[in-house]
C-alpha cells in the first residue's frame, strides 16, 4: 500500500511483480467467497469434507496476506531511502491511519453493501495499518534489534493459543483484537467483527522492512538474490521440520485421516486467523525464493501483474466492488428477491446461493481481465502526475 517499488528503482520490478501475482490470486478467494455454492456453509480446508481441488483453491490464496504485508514492509524501507527517520515515521503513521479509515468506512461497505453499517469488520487493511504505525515507532532501532522483535512476534505468538475461547462471541474484545477472531454486538443490530487479529502481522512487516536493506542501491544484486533464496529455503525447511514434529507452531496439529490424500491435506491445513508460525513459514518461505527468481524474469506477460502490483489499494477496492456488484446482479438474475438479500451481514449473498468451482474460476478470470485496463490506466496516471492524494490510492 506504499509507493510502487519500481518508481524508486527500475531494477526492483520484482517487488511489484510478486505483489501483482498475489493480488491476482487474492481475487480467486474473494470470487469463491461470493460465488461458490458451499462458501458460506462448509470449510474448504477441512480434510474430512473437502476435495483436493477445492482445498488447493483456498490454500493457494493463503500466500496473499502474509506476502502482501511482507512486501509492504520492504516498500516502507524503500520509501524511506530519501527521507529522514522522522519524515518516514510520519509518513508511515499517516499511511497507516488512512488504511484503517479505508477498512472501516470504504471496504466495510464494499464487503457488505450495507450503507447503514450494521456490520463492520477488521480485516487485512486494518492490521496492515496498525503494523505501519507500530513500525513508524520502531524504525529508530538498529536493524538487528528489529529482526529480533520480528522473529519473537512471529515465532512466539502461538504461546497465546492456550487462552483462546471456544466461540468468537465469547472472546473479550481486547484479546480478540490481539490474538483471536471475535464478533461482538455493540448495540442492538450492530456488530463489529475482528477477522484479522493483530499478532503476528507487525512482526511480518518488521521483517519485510529489514529485508528492504537488501534492495539498497549499492547492494550487490547477485548477493541479494542469493540471500533471499537461501532465507526462503531455510524458512520452508523449518516449516516441514516443525510441522512433522507436530508439537508447536500451529493451533491445530495434523492428524492421520481416512486416506493418504486427506492426511496430506491435514498436514498443510494451517491456522490463518491469526497466522501461525507454521503458516508464516509455509507462505513467506516460498515467496522469498520466488522473489529472488523474479528479478531475472524478462517475459512480456510480467507487465500484467506489475500493473496490479503498482496500484495495490486501488486494485483492492476496485476488484472487490466488481465482485460484489456481479454477485448482486446474478442474485437478482437468478430469481431472488430483495427480501432474501437481507438474511445475512453480507447483502445479496444468501447461504444457498452459488455455483460450481468451475464457474468460480471463470468468473475469477473475467474479473481480473475486466479490471486490468482500468488499473493500467490509473497506473499510468499515477506515474505521470503528482497530486497530493495519489500516494493514498
Amino acid at each position: 500500500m506504499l509507493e510502487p517499488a519500481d518508481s524508486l528503482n527500475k531494477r526492483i520490478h520484482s517487488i511489484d511483480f510478486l505483489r501483482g501475482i498475489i493480488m491476482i490470486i487474492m481475487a480467486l478467494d474473494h470470487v469463491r467467497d461470493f460465488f461458490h455454492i458451499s462458501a458460506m456453509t462448509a470449510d474448504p480446508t477441512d480434510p474430512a469434507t473437502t476435495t483436493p481441488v477445492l482445498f488447493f483453491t483456498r490454500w493457494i490464496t493463503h500466500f496473499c496476506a502474509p506476502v502482501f504485508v511482507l512486501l509492504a514492509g520492504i516498500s516502507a524501507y524503500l520509501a524511506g531511502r530519501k527521507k529522514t527517520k522522522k519524515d518516514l515515521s510520519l509518513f508511515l503513521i499517516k499511511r497507516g491511519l488512512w488504511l484503517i479509515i479505508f477498512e472501516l468506512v470504504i471496504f466495510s461497505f464494499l464487503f457488505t453493501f450495507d450503507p447503514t453499517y450494521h456490520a463492520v469488520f477488521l480485516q487485512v487493511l486494518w492490521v496492515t495499518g496498525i503494523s505501519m504505525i507500530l513500525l513508524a515507532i520502531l524504525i529508530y532501532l538498529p536493524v538487528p534489534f528489529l529482526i529480533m522483535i520480528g522473529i519473537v512476534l512471529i515465532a512466539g505468538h502461538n504461546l497465546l493459543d492456550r487462552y483462546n475461547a471456544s466461540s468468537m462471541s465469547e472472546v473479550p474484545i481486547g484479546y480478540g483484537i490481539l490474538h483471536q477472531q471475535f464478533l461482538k454486538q455493540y448495540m442492538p443490530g450492530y456488530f463489529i467483527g475482528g477477522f484479522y487479529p493483530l499478532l503476528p502481522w507487525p512482526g511480518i512487516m518488521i521483517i519485510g522492512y529489514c529485508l528492504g536493506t537488501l534492495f539498497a542501491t549499492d547492494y550487490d544484486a547477485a548477493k541479494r538474490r542469493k540471500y533471499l533464496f537461501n532465507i526462503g529455503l531455510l524458512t520452508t525447511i523449518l516449516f516441514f521440520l516443525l510441522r512433522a514434529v507436530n508439537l508447536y507452531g500451529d493451533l491445530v496439529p495434523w492428524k492421520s485421516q481416512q486416506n493418504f490424500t486427506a492426511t496430506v491435506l491435514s498436514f498443510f491445513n494451517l491456522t490463518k486467523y491469526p497466522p501461525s508460525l507454521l503458516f508464516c513459514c509455509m507462505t513467506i518461505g516460498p515467496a522469498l525464493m520466488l522473489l529472488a527468481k523474479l528479478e531475472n524474469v524478462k517475459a512480456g506477460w510480467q507487465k500484467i501483474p506489475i500493473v496490479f502490483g503498482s496500484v495495490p489499494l486501488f486494485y483492492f477496492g476496485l476488484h472487490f466492488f466488481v465482485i460484489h456488484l456481479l454477485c448482486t446482479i446474478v442474485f437478482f438474475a437468478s430469481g431472488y428477491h430483495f427480501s432474501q438479500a437481507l438474511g445475512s451481514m453480507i447483502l445479496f449473498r444468501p447461504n444457498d446461493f452459488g455455483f460450481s468451482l468451475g464457474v468460480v474460476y471463470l468468473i475469477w478470470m473475467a474479473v481480473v481481465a475486466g479490471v486490468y485496463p482500468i488499473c493500467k490506466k490509473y497506473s499510468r496516471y499515477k506515474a505521470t502526475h503528482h497530486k497530493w492524494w495519489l500516494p493514498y490510492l
Side-chain angles (χ1 to χ4, degrees):
M1 299 304 182
L2 296 167
E3 274 299 298
D6 62 318
S7 69
L8 298 169
N9 192 311
K10 188 174 181 179
R11 76 177 186 182
I12 51 177
H13 270 178
S14 56
I15 295 174
D16 283 339
F17 195 177
L18 179 57
R19 184 188 286 117
I21 290 173
I22 65 164
M23 295 183 74
I24 292 171
I25 295 172
M26 174 183 63
L28 173 60
D29 197 42
H30 296 157
V31 171
R32 183 191 61 80
D33 282 337
F34 278 90
F35 286 98
H36 190 228
I37 185 62
S38 66
M40 297 297 175
T41 58
D43 181 0
T45 60
D46 184 351
T49 59
T50 191
T51 65
V53 176
L54 179 56
F55 181 93
F56 176 80
T57 301
R58 172 58 172 158
W59 180 83
I60 192 64
T61 64
H62 283 341
F63 286 80
C64 298
V67 179
F68 194 80
V69 174
L70 183 83
L71 294 179
I74 295 176
S75 294
Y77 177 85
L78 296 174
R81 291 191 303 181
K82 295 183 179 180
K83 300 178 185 288
T84 65
K85 291 287 187 181
K86 181 180 179 181
D87 288 340
L88 177 59
S89 181
L90 291 173
F91 173 78
L92 293 174
I93 290 172
K94 290 188 292 184
R95 185 57 55 84
L97 289 173
W98 163 238
L99 289 179
I100 296 170
I101 293 170
F102 190 98
E103 179 81 89
L104 296 175
V105 179
I106 300 175
F107 188 72
S108 284
F109 172 75
L110 297 179
F111 187 62
T112 65
F113 268 18
D114 179 7
T116 64
Y117 291 90
H118 281 84
V120 174
F121 301 104
L122 305 177
Q123 302 194 67
V124 67
L125 297 181
W126 176 80
V127 293
T128 303
I130 294 292
S131 297
M132 282 186 181
I133 294 171
L134 293 175
L135 179 62
I137 299 171
L138 295 173
I139 59 172
Y140 296 96
L141 296 175
V143 169
F145 283 94
L146 291 176
I147 293 174
M148 288 189 291
I149 292 172
I151 291 175
V152 168
L153 291 176
I154 296 171
H157 81 95
N158 282 115
L159 294 172
L160 298 175
D161 288 343
R162 67 189 71 180
Y163 303 111
N164 284 4
S166 58
S167 171
M168 289 176 62
S169 61
E170 297 174 358
V171 180
I173 191 168
Y175 183 75
I177 288 174
L178 185 69
H179 200 254
Q180 188 180 0
Q181 288 186 319
F182 69 91
L183 182 65
K184 294 290 184 182
Q185 183 175 223
Y186 59 91
M187 59 184 293
Y190 289 83
F191 296 84
I192 182 169
F195 287 0
Y196 274 71
L198 182 58
L199 295 179
W201 297 105
I204 297 174
M205 183 170 288
I206 290 169
I207 292 299
Y209 179 85
C210 296
L211 288 173
T213 61
L214 301 179
F215 291 87
T217 53
D218 58 348
Y219 201 92
D220 181 75
K223 185 182 293 186
R224 174 179 61 251
R225 291 192 294 268
K226 179 180 178 181
Y227 281 168
L228 287 173
F229 187 87
N230 289 341
I231 294 170
L233 179 61
L234 291 174
T235 302
T236 305
I237 292 172
L238 180 63
F239 155 68
F240 281 103
L241 291 176
L242 290 178
R243 190 58 167 167
V245 173
N246 221 17
L247 293 177
Y248 178 78
D250 196 86
L251 180 64
V252 181
W254 67 275
K255 298 178 181 178
S256 296
Q257 303 291 317
Q258 65 270 23
N259 55 57
F260 176 76
T261 299
T263 300
V264 171
L265 299 186
S266 177
F267 186 89
F268 287 97
N269 184 25
L270 302 174
T271 304
K272 181 180 180 179
Y273 307 106
S276 66
L277 165 62
L278 294 181
F279 186 97
C280 295
C281 291
M282 179 187 72
T283 54
I284 292 175
L288 289 177
M289 290 190 285
L290 180 59
L291 181 61
K293 295 300 182 181
L294 287 178
E295 288 195 32
N296 292 324
V297 174
K298 303 298 182 184
W301 61 268
Q302 69 174 316
K303 296 179 181 178
I304 296 174
I306 285 177
V307 164
F308 293 132
S310 66
V311 289
L313 187 56
F314 179 82
Y315 167 87
F316 190 85
L318 175 63
H319 96 283
F320 214 98
F321 171 74
V322 170
I323 291 170
H324 204 160
L325 180 62
L326 282 176
C327 180
T328 303
I329 294 171
V330 176
F331 171 87
F332 286 112
S334 300
Y336 287 90
H337 302 288
F338 185 78
S339 60
Q340 296 170 286
L342 308 177
S344 65
M345 294 181 182
I346 303 175
L347 302 190
F348 310 107
R349 206 312 179 192
N351 289 344
D352 62 349
F353 172 85
F355 304 93
S356 69
L357 201 57
V359 174
V360 168
Y361 273 86
L362 290 176
I363 296 172
W364 167 56
M365 289 185 284
V367 168
V368 172
V371 301
Y372 175 74
I374 304 173
C375 291
K376 183 177 181 180
K377 187 173 183 179
Y378 179 67
S379 179
R380 288 177 175 172
Y381 180 86
K382 193 172 184 178
T384 55
H385 293 75
H386 300 282
K387 306 293 186 181
W388 68 267
W389 52 270
L390 282 174
Y392 294 92
L393 191 59

